[in-house]
Amino acid sequence: MDGQSCVMIMNEWDIVAARQLGRHAAKELGFGAVDQARITTAISELARNIYHYANGGKIYIDKIEEKEKKGIKITASDHGPGIPDIRKAMEDGFTTSGGLGAGLPGVKRLMDEFYIDSKTGEGTVVQVVKWLR
Amino acid sequence: MAFDDDIQMKYKEMLANYIQELTEQALYEGQRFSWKAIEHKIPPEEIINIHLKVLKELFPDIPKKILDSFDFLLEVMVGYGLAYQEHQFLRGRQLELKSEIEIAANVQQALLQTNIPKVEELDIGVISVPAKIMNGDYYQFAEHENTMSVAIADVIGKGIPAALCISMIKYAMDSLLESRQNPSYILENLNRVVEQNIDVNMFITMFFGKYDFRTNKITYASAGHEPGFYYCASEDHFYDLQSKGLVLGVDRQVKYEQYELNLFQNDMIILLSDGVTETRTKEGFIDRAAVTSAIRAHLHLPAQQIVENIYKDFEKMQGFQLRDDFTLIIMKKNV
C-alpha cells in the first residue's frame, strides 16, 4: 500500500474534491484518458450516494500493487441507513435512463473489481478496484 | 482480437483518407467501421479516445486547448458508454427470456396435447393458434364408450398469465372427464376449482359438449363462452348455439343450464374463441355473420380444410397480426 488519501463527503463540493484526488492518483499511476474518466465517474457515483443517502461519509483512494499489477482502489464508507436489499440495488435495469446517473451496477461496470457490504442501520462499504493494463 | 489490435491504425488510415479526399466513399468507410466497432463491443468513449490519439499523430501542432476539450467530451461520453453497455446487457437478457418462453410454450403444448377422435359419425376439424408465443385458448376432446366430449375454453387475457391459467384448467378437466358426467355437472365443478384457485381478476369462459353416438344428440352447456353455431343442413341455415351461463370463477354457487340438439346428416357444430369473432380489419371488428359466410364459402370441403382456410382468410384480413388467440372447431355429422 502506498499512501492512502481520504476525502470527507459532507456536501456537494466534496464530490468534486474526491474526483480530483482520484484523477490525480489515476494520472500518477499512468491510466489513460478514458480510464481516468471512468474512474472519476465511479468516484462521483459513490460520493453522490454518500451525499444523497448517508448524510456524510468518506472516500478513500489507494494506489495498490499486487503481483506486478498496479491499480487504484476506491473505498466508500458511510454510517448511513444501509441498503436493505443489496440484490435489488445491484439489479441491472434501466439505471442510466432515469437521469439519476450510473447507479451501483454502473460503478461495477466501470471498474474491474467490486465489493459491497451493507448493514441496515449501520452503514455501507463499497470497495472497487481498477487495474492498470 | 485482430480488430482490437490495429483499430487505431485503421481509424487513422480512414480518417486521413477522408480529410484528404472529402468523398462520400470515405465517409461510408466510417460508417462501416462503426458496425465493426459495435460488433466488437467498443464503447463510444473509446472511439473518442482513438480519435484524439489519431488527431495528435496527424496534426502534431494542434493547440493544447483543443486537445484539452477532449477530456471534457470524454467525461460526457462515459455516461453514454454505460448506457450502451446496459443496453447490450438487457438485449442479452431479452434473448434469454425469449428462449425461456419458447421452451415453456413447448412444455405447454405437450401438456395440452389432445387427440382429435377419428370416428365414422363425425368429421372434425380443429385449428388453434396463439397470438403471442403461448396459447390462452384451450380445447380438449375425450372419447368414451358411446360418447365423445369436446371442451373449448378461453382465458380473458393472453400471453403467459393466460397460458398458466389454462394449464390448471387442463388438469382439473382430466380428472373431471373420468367421471363422465353431464356438461352442467362438469362446468359447475370446474367453476368451483377456478373460483378457489384463480386470481379474482382472471376470468375463464368455457363451452362443454357431449355427443352421444347412439342417439346422435349433443348435450351442452356454456360458461359465458362466445356462442358457437349450429348449421342445419336441411334448412341450409346457421343458428347461434344458444346458451346462458356465467363465466367461470365468479360465483361458486352458480348453476349451468344444459341444452340438447339432434344432429342429422351434414349438420355442423361450430365452436370458436373470441379471437375469431374479434378479428379486426381496417374497418373495425368483423361480425359473426362474416364467420358464417366464410364457413359457407368452404362448405363442400372436409372440416379440417374449412378451419384452415378460414384461419388463412382471417389472418390475411388483419394483416397477418393476430390480436388474440384464435381457435376454431368444426364438427360435421357424416352419416
Side-chain angles (χ1 to χ4, degrees):
Chain A
M1 211 175 270
D2 174 20
Q4 188 181 55
S5 34
C6 166
V7 175
M8 294 270 290
I9 306 293
M10 298 305 291
N11 59 53
E12 209 157 1
W13 300 115
D14 298 331
I15 299 174
V16 175
R19 283 176 56 107
Q20 184 71 59
L21 199 65
R23 187 181 297 274
H24 191 71
K27 229 178 226 172
E28 274 182 2
L29 280 162
F31 280 103
V34 176
D35 278 341
Q36 281 179 38
R38 286 179 183 142
I39 290 163
T40 45
T41 303
I43 293 171
S44 297
E45 200 57 38
L46 296 173
R48 270 163 38 118
N49 279 348
I50 292 175
Y51 170 66
H52 282 294
Y53 305 114
N55 198 20
K58 285 176 183 167
I59 298 268
Y60 300 89
I61 312 274
D62 293 296
K63 293 180 194 163
I64 53 171
E65 223 175 317
E66 196 180 276
K67 293 182 208 144
E68 286 155 40
K69 279 196 301 184
K70 277 184 173 178
I72 188 167
K73 180 167 88 177
I74 297 138
T75 311
S77 150
D78 67 56
H79 297 289
I83 303 169
D85 189 346
I86 298 180
R87 237 174 77 178
K88 202 165 172 202
M90 289 306 299
E91 219 170 69
D92 230 315
F94 307 91
T95 47
T96 53
S97 60
L100 294 169
L104 288 178
V107 173
K108 193 175 175 184
R109 281 223 169 81
L110 288 163
M111 306 297 282
D112 294 325
E113 285 172 25
F114 184 98
Y115 164 84
I116 183 167
D117 193 18
S118 186
K119 282 200 180 71
T120 317
E122 290 181 27
T124 303
V125 176
V126 181
Q127 201 163 72
V128 293
V129 174
K130 185 119 191 136
W131 295 108
L132 191 62
R133 256 175 287 267
Chain B
M1 248 180 275
F3 181 79
D4 285 22
D5 290 343
D6 56 16
I7 177 168
Q8 192 174 324
M9 248 167 61
K10 231 181 239 164
Y11 193 88
K12 185 179 174 184
E13 211 179 288
M14 287 187 304
L15 185 63
N17 184 40
Y18 174 67
I19 293 168
Q20 193 73 41
E21 306 186 354
L22 296 179
T23 59
E24 195 59 44
Q25 174 65 36
L27 276 184
Y28 177 56
E29 290 300 319
Q31 191 190 77
R32 289 196 3 189
F33 171 84
S34 78
W35 294 119
K36 201 82 187 160
I38 288 167
E39 187 195 332
H40 286 82
K41 299 191 168 70
I42 296 179
E45 68 269 25
E46 197 62 62
I47 300 285
I48 288 168
N49 194 40
I50 291 166
H51 187 83
L52 173 64
K53 285 184 183 164
V54 167
L55 272 190
K56 281 183 190 162
E57 285 178 33
L58 290 175
F59 308 102
D61 42 349
I62 302 178
K64 185 173 176 298
K65 286 182 178 171
I66 304 275
L67 293 178
D68 288 346
S69 79
F70 275 84
D71 290 341
F72 193 86
L73 182 59
L74 266 184
E75 191 72 31
V76 173
M77 291 313 282
V78 165
Y80 279 89
L82 274 178
Y84 174 70
Q85 279 182 336
E86 194 176 271
H87 169 84
Q88 299 287 79
F89 174 84
L90 289 173
R91 229 174 61 154
R93 172 86 65 82
Q94 156 118 41
L95 286 177
E96 250 168 56
L97 272 177
K98 204 178 155 193
S99 76
E100 214 170 282
I101 293 169
E102 266 158 21
I103 293 167
N106 287 339
V107 171
Q108 188 203 23
Q109 218 157 37
L111 198 73
L112 299 186
Q113 185 72 37
T114 178
N115 290 324
I116 297 162
K118 291 202 168 34
V119 289
E120 257 177 48
E121 292 87 341
L122 291 171
D123 174 22
I124 302 173
V126 181
I127 191 160
S128 185
V129 185
K132 295 184 181 171
I133 303 174
M134 293 183 88
N135 206 337
D137 282 356
Y138 156 78
Y139 67 91
Q140 183 173 25
F141 288 95
E143 260 181 287
H144 301 298
E145 219 166 306
N146 299 306
T147 62
M148 179 199 93
S149 72
V150 55
I152 179 168
D154 183 355
V155 180
I156 310 300
K158 47 182 182 276
I160 297 169
L164 286 174
C165 200
I166 279 299
S167 302
M168 194 203 76
I169 290 288
K170 151 84 179 173
Y171 269 113
M173 277 301 279
D174 279 350
S175 52
L176 273 173
L177 283 175
E178 290 293 309
S179 68
R180 302 184 195 183
Q181 291 281 353
N182 294 324
S184 56
Y185 174 91
I186 299 238
L187 287 187
E188 280 156 22
N189 266 274
L190 207 53
N191 177 52
R192 281 195 286 274
V193 173
V194 171
E195 201 264 342
Q196 273 173 34
N197 295 292
I198 288 187
D199 189 82
V200 282
N201 295 314
M202 214 159 216
F203 301 106
I204 301 166
T205 71
M206 181 181 252
F207 174 98
F208 187 87
K210 191 172 169 189
Y211 186 79
D212 193 320
F213 296 115
R214 292 164 301 189
T215 56
N216 297 320
K217 191 187 281 178
I218 182 166
T219 312
Y220 66 90
S222 169
H225 194 78
E226 173 82 24
F229 298 101
Y230 155 58
Y231 173 71
C232 176
S234 62
E235 297 172 32
D236 186 25
H237 189 79
F238 285 94
Y239 293 94
D240 282 349
L241 263 187
Q242 289 298 347
S243 58
K244 276 190 295 188
L246 196 61
V247 296
L248 300 176
V250 176
D251 171 8
R252 63 180 296 138
Q253 300 301 334
V254 74
K255 295 279 172 209
Y256 291 96
E257 209 173 315
Q258 203 163 283
Y259 305 81
E260 283 180 359
L261 204 60
N262 284 302
L263 293 191
F264 299 95
Q265 194 171 358
N266 291 331
D267 282 358
M268 288 192 294
I269 295 289
I270 296 120
L271 305 176
L272 36 85
S273 67
D274 57 11
V276 178
T277 46
E278 279 170 19
T279 292
R280 257 184 105 137
T281 63
K282 270 180 236 152
E283 288 84 41
F285 290 115
I286 60 159
D287 54 9
R288 286 170 56 83
V291 181
T292 54
S293 58
I295 295 168
R296 194 180 282 281
H298 302 295
L299 211 53
H300 55 288
L301 296 170
Q304 187 58 35
Q305 277 185 32
I306 302 180
V307 295
E308 282 172 17
N309 287 352
I310 291 176
Y311 173 68
K312 278 182 199 147
D313 292 351
F314 282 26
E315 191 190 26
K316 200 167 157 187
M317 252 195 295
Q318 50 190 334
F320 298 96
Q321 278 190 317
L322 230 51
R323 280 175 183 80
D324 196 0
D325 307 323
F326 182 110
T327 300
L328 181 61
I329 298 175
I330 290 184
M331 297 183 290
K332 197 178 193 176
K333 172 94 173 70
N334 276 330
V335 217

